[in-house]
Amino acid sequence: MIRAQGVRYVGRAAIAALHHEVEYADPLFPQWFRCIDQVNNWGGPNVDNEYLSAAVDPSHAYHVHADLSRSAGLLLQSIRGIWHLPEGFAVLDDWSIDDFKLNDDGTLDLYLGGPERSDVNWFPLHPEAERLWVRQYGTAWDEHRVGGFSITRIDDGPLTPAVLTNEKIAEQVDNAAEWLAGAVRHWPSSLLNRAHPLPVNSLPKPFVSSQGSAQISYAFTRLDLEGPQGLAIELDEPDARYWSFQLYSFPWWESLDARNGLTSLNHDQLVADPDGRVRVVVSVEDPGCATGSTAAPRRGPC
């Protein structure tokens, strides 16, 4: 099973590499694309997020429009490089929905780069920014809707993309090969190094990662369950806008199939017990837990 998942993982990563480095790599004519989802699945994604990415160049100015009227919130970052090529990667700008003033209809108009403006949502782009990265949250799955995003370069510049040359496509394919090799090396290794030193079936104190967002805390454990065993997690309800439990494949660091099974639970899907404590059971079989349970493989990260 692990080998079959690995073959699929490499294929998915190859598609993601071509999207990042070939199809959606022009900052003069940027387009948002779904850089992670249930099919294009890499990097330990959150199933309550829609992930979008667009290429940018800090010497230019951009207008971003989005409908957030039915969204549960978002984080927007500018980044340099990509997570699995850590020697060049950095999170540069880190904004949340609280940093923006929405229009009366719940839409967002955001201006990035170019001359400073005081009449609109405007922020400078970091001088090393290469991409914008969006995590848009939807936690009540039957209620929340992710909003359509658009991005337009608004400064003087070419009106049509440059004609593709042999040299350009060769450069882009080389970049995609590096992206792919980094993904295949980094994510399984990262998961092994992160999970194995931890005591099994035990959650450590959450931490903030410099490679994530300053507004996100993470905690990881390694499931190792035998037969009918389950892992019971009990906690005080967190004082946070969003929190959840997520299951992942081992060692590929993919989210599990949330479309066809119960593989995650977030704060909108969980119910605290009368004593105010939240209890979640992770097990292969449904334990009949009233507050929340997830159907898990016997081994893997959570």
Side-chain angles (χ1 to χ4, degrees), residues 233-235 237 270-280 289-292:
I233 302 170
E234 181 177 335
L235 70 156
E237 188 168 355
L270 284 161
V271 179
D273 284 331
D275 63 358
R277 300 279 284 175
V278 176
R279 295 173 175 89
V280 175
C289 178
T291 53

Side-chain angles (χ1 to χ4, degrees), residues 222-244:
R222 180 164 56 96
L223 299 177
D224 192 354
L225 307 174
E226 298 292 341
Q229 286 182 331
L231 176 65
I233 302 170
E234 181 177 335
L235 70 156
D236 291 324
E237 188 168 355
D239 181 17
R241 172 179 291 180
Y242 167 85
W243 51 276
S244 69

Side-chain angles (χ1 to χ4, degrees), residues 1-60:
M1 181 179 70
I2 290 179
R3 182 183 180 89
Q5 291 175 345
V7 172
R8 183 182 64 186
Y9 170 78
V10 173
R12 289 172 165 178
I15 294 170
L18 291 170
H19 281 172
H20 277 84
E21 301 298 337
V22 180
E23 301 296 347
Y24 299 96
D26 188 351
L28 294 179
F29 298 91
Q31 300 179 67
W32 293 108
F33 72 103
R34 291 179 60 177
C35 47
I36 303 177
D37 58 26
Q38 277 286 294
V39 174
N40 192 358
N41 192 337
W42 58 274
N46 182 336
V47 298
D48 296 319
N49 284 174
E50 180 189 53
Y51 294 88
L52 300 174
S53 182
V56 293
D57 182 326
S59 64
H60 294 282

Side-chain angles (χ1 to χ4, degrees), residues 18 27 34 46 64 70-71 84 88 119 121 123 133 157 169 176 184 196 208 210 238 250 258 265 290 294 298 300:
L18 291 170
R34 291 179 60 177
N46 182 336
V64 173
R70 297 184 66 184
S71 170
H84 48 259
D119 57 325
N121 292 302
F123 292 90
W133 191 271
I169 192 63
V184 172
H196 280 187
V208 175
S210 62
F250 184 84
L265 289 166
T294 58
R298 290 188 170 88

